[in-house]
Amino acid sequence: MMIPEKEIRIAIIGLGYVGLPLAVAFGGLFTTLGYDINEARIRELETGVDATLEVDEAALKSVRYLTYSCDIAALKRCNVYIVTVPTPIDKNKCPDLTPLENASALIGEVVGPGDVVIYESTVYPGATEEVCVPIIERISGLVYNTHFFAGYSPERINPGDKEHRVATILKVTSGSTPEASEFVDGLYRRVITAGTHRASSIRVAEAAKVIENTQRDLNIALINELAIIFNKMGIDTEEVLQAAGTKWNFLPFRPGLVGGHCIGVDPYYLTHKAQEIGYHPEVILAGRRINDGMGAYIVSEVVKQMIKRRIQVKGASVLIMGLTFKENCPDLRNTRVVDMVHELSEFSAEVEVYDPWVHGDEAEEAYGITLVHELRQGAYDAVILAVAHDAFKAMGIDAIRGLGKDPHLLFDIKYLFSKDQVDARL
């Protein structure tokens, strides 16, 4: 028999971009514990502050049944454990399951008979039952699907998106037995107003998640490759995409840098598993190579345009506007803007990075990049618009042009301004 609703006590393990909004949603209905190993994160949340800006202070302070802790003893009072830790890749672009394995080991110390463990972290098909569950069994001494049960419900959080929130995005659910599947689906139905889709197995749900971002990655890779081709032909890519977009079923993707915790990472989880079972995924890896190379390609185009304008590249002062992996959020995870910083440094350019969304200490810690906090008028040989923050658009073209020397290059990666207002664009 699964846990009666009145006895449900939920623990959300990992309070980042995914875990915190989920904790707030469940905390409105169920006794919920937000658990994180980062003590500073727990302290800030207890004061109503969310550094990710996904949940505002009023919402944090108004949740009736949500508490926070980094004490393992608090977890022992729970009976539903939802894991929302990150699943990154290592320097060799292989899955790094360390956070997931650590969370599973933690659960193994506290899980009890009849409890349910649900994973939301993105993984390859099979990881939940092949990697995570055995850890819980080994540490707890309990038997899977006899003493405890599992589920998988992939996260669909879009950082910085104020329209598509956790409750308004349809949720895929699954469970390790028919009863567990029904329990997991029913649990999420209580907080997901958009509804749920109940997958037939955990492996199906895992596969569905990992191909969501793989599909998007490949679509962007196609547009990036087209941008390279059209650039060589002297054709403006944005004009082509606008013309093609007049057909009802043309997908509105745009070229650019592909970073973040999902699109630039998840395909490697699928390709890793594919290669493990003896299949070499050519199309997926080709898309990854194109997207991973866009930073270097953009810098090569910037350098060419500077040379055409007789701007000395060596020692040039270059301003990159934007460091986050996407617009209007402080998320730095896997941002590919750093590729441009490193590539420009190879040309001996002096690079400054400005991003009003990012705390300077985070940029320094993550990438060794010291942000500038004030822009200098008439100081730059080249200005690169790398992230489409609303704040940059609001500055206006005249203010941004005023940052450059005479002459200077204004390169617009994100189509923030029209073709005639900038010198070059992707």
Side-chain angles (χ1 to χ4, degrees):
M1 180 178 178
M2 304 308 295
I3 307 165
E5 182 172 311
K6 290 183 179 180
E7 297 178 17
I8 291 174
R9 298 180 301 279
I10 300 172
I12 308 293
I13 299 174
L15 296 177
Y17 286 87
V18 174
L20 181 62
L22 191 67
V24 169
F26 277 121
L29 293 176
F30 301 100
T31 298
T32 303
L33 173 71
Y35 178 90
D36 201 288
I37 59 174
N38 186 339
E39 293 185 23
R41 176 68 166 157
I42 295 298
R43 287 196 299 270
E44 72 174 17
L45 291 174
E46 288 177 334
T47 63
V49 176
D50 172 27
T52 70
L53 305 182
E54 288 300 301
V55 183
D56 61 34
E57 183 178 353
L60 282 177
K61 291 185 174 180
S62 65
V63 186
R64 291 185 64 186
Y65 306 116
L66 176 61
T67 57
Y68 307 98
S69 180
C70 55
D71 184 359
I72 188 173
L75 288 173
K76 293 180 179 179
R77 296 190 289 270
C78 301
N79 50 24
V80 177
Y81 302 92
I82 303 179
V83 179
T84 57
V85 299
T87 44
I89 53 176
D90 63 20
K91 63 180 180 180
N92 297 315
K93 297 180 179 177
C94 293
D96 178 5
L97 297 177
T98 304
L100 207 58
E101 292 168 342
N102 290 341
S104 299
L106 178 70
I107 292 170
E109 295 183 36
V110 297
V111 69
D115 291 356
V116 179
V117 184
I118 305 168
Y119 289 88
E120 290 214 359
S121 307
T122 303
V123 292
Y124 53 77
T128 298
E129 293 173 295
E130 295 168 8
V131 177
C132 302
V133 165
I135 294 173
I136 297 174
E137 284 188 304
R138 174 172 53 82
I139 294 176
S140 69
L142 301 179
V143 177
Y144 180 47
N145 284 338
T146 298
H147 300 128
F148 75 96
F149 304 88
Y152 184 80
S153 181
E155 61 89 1
R156 282 178 166 172
I157 295 295
N158 187 24
D161 189 337
K162 301 305 179 185
E163 178 183 355
H164 301 98
R165 311 302 292 165
V166 62
T168 62
I169 302 172
L170 194 141
K171 201 86 160 66
V172 174
T173 68
S174 64
S176 56
T177 66
E179 293 78 12
S181 178
E182 178 58 39
F183 174 81
V184 172
D185 192 70
L187 184 68
Y188 279 100
R189 282 202 310 267
R190 291 297 310 274
V191 295
I192 306 297
T193 57
T196 60
H197 175 91
R198 190 172 164 185
S200 63
S201 69
I202 288 176
R203 288 166 61 89
V204 167
E206 290 168 327
K209 170 57 182 176
V210 80
I211 71 164
E212 288 177 16
N213 291 317
T214 300
Q215 182 187 66
R216 185 168 175 80
D217 189 46
L218 284 170
N219 277 314
I220 298 172
L222 171 62
I223 301 301
N224 275 335
E225 189 164 57
L226 291 173
I228 294 171
I229 294 169
F230 293 146
N231 180 56
K232 290 182 178 296
M233 299 174 68
I235 300 173
D236 185 81
T237 302
E238 173 69 356
E239 290 185 5
V240 174
L241 294 175
Q242 287 178 347
T246 59
K247 189 181 181 189
W248 73 91
N249 60 351
F250 186 82
L251 300 177
F253 288 92
R254 290 297 183 269
L257 300 169
V258 182
H261 64 297
C262 288
I263 300 177
V265 173
D266 295 355
Y268 289 119
Y269 273 74
L270 184 56
T271 58
H272 168 82
K273 188 63 176 180
Q275 291 169 324
E276 188 179 83
I277 61 175
Y279 179 77
H280 182 72
E282 297 188 25
V283 173
I284 298 171
L285 288 174
R288 282 280 73 236
R289 285 193 296 271
I290 291 170
N291 287 340
D292 278 348
M294 285 307 291
Y297 170 76
I298 291 168
V299 169
S300 72
E301 290 303 302
V302 168
V303 169
K304 289 177 186 177
Q305 292 292 335
M306 290 175 70
I307 292 172
K308 284 182 180 179
R309 289 163 175 75
R310 303 194 179 196
I311 300 172
Q312 176 72 31
V313 178
K314 184 176 182 179
S317 179
V318 179
L319 173 67
I320 296 178
M321 298 184 69
L323 180 60
T324 59
F325 89 88
K326 64 176 292 187
E327 65 276 3
N328 304 322
C329 81
D331 198 341
L332 289 176
R333 289 174 294 176
N334 197 37
T335 174
R336 300 276 43 99
V337 176
V338 298
D339 297 344
M340 294 197 302
V341 175
H342 297 153
E343 197 73 15
L344 284 164
S345 297
E346 289 292 313
F347 284 95
S348 299
E350 300 295 329
V351 184
E352 293 184 11
V353 182
Y354 172 74
D355 195 320
W357 279 88
V358 178
H359 293 292
D361 54 347
E362 292 183 8
E364 188 76 47
E365 181 180 351
Y367 300 107
I369 293 175
T370 302
L371 296 179
V372 297
H373 300 290
E374 292 185 8
L375 297 174
R376 298 180 290 131
Q377 293 294 308
Y380 304 101
D381 296 292
V383 177
I384 303 174
L385 293 166
V387 184
H389 290 319
D390 289 343
F392 296 160
K393 184 75 172 179
M395 287 176 65
I397 190 63
D398 291 338
I400 291 176
R401 279 290 191 188
L403 300 172
K405 296 178 182 178
D406 185 16
H408 70 275
L409 171 72
L410 177 56
F411 196 102
D412 188 357
I413 296 174
K414 300 296 292 184
Y415 304 139
L416 271 171
F417 298 99
S418 63
K419 177 184 175 182
D420 63 325
Q421 291 177 305
V422 301
D423 299 315
R425 56 184 186 171
L426 192 56

